[in-house]
Amino acid sequence: MLRGPPMKINNNVQPVRKSLHLTQESLAKQIGVSRRTIVSIEKGNYTPSLMLAFQLAQALKTPLTDLFTINEENQT
């Protein structure tokens, strides 16, 4: 088991969503979640499950690794 400080997941959901001219509501409907969930993900207050992350990537037509990255600052 790895120990150390918790990893921070950064996301680019909002800029990608906006570049596709999608509202939070329309994206939420596409993947079957609430608009509030999209808001929380975009603000970094909620890290989606792997399944939800894949659904977001598919809906946004963007590779998963372009949507979500690990902040490796202070990681050894």
Side-chain angles (χ1 to χ4, degrees):
M1 179 183 274
L2 296 175
R3 298 271 180 199
M7 288 188 239
K8 171 83 169 120
I9 303 290
N10 299 315
N11 79 73
N12 295 310
V13 173
Q14 185 178 49
V16 172
R17 175 184 59 77
K18 286 184 174 184
S19 75
L20 295 171
H21 307 287
L22 292 172
T23 64
Q24 291 169 332
E25 184 71 30
S26 65
L27 178 57
K29 284 182 182 178
Q30 264 190 289
I31 61 173
V33 298
S34 68
R35 186 187 70 81
R36 184 175 250 161
T37 298
I38 300 300
V39 170
S40 293
I41 291 169
E42 289 182 351
K43 287 184 175 182
N45 296 331
Y46 173 69
T47 301
S49 68
L50 186 56
M51 181 62 75
L52 182 53
F54 274 112
Q55 289 174 314
L56 282 165
Q58 185 176 26
L60 295 171
K61 300 174 181 70
T62 303
L64 186 63
T65 54
D66 289 350
L67 278 185
F68 297 96
T69 58
I70 297 173
N71 182 351
E72 296 188 29
E73 285 185 24
N74 302 322
Q75 300 291 318
T76 55

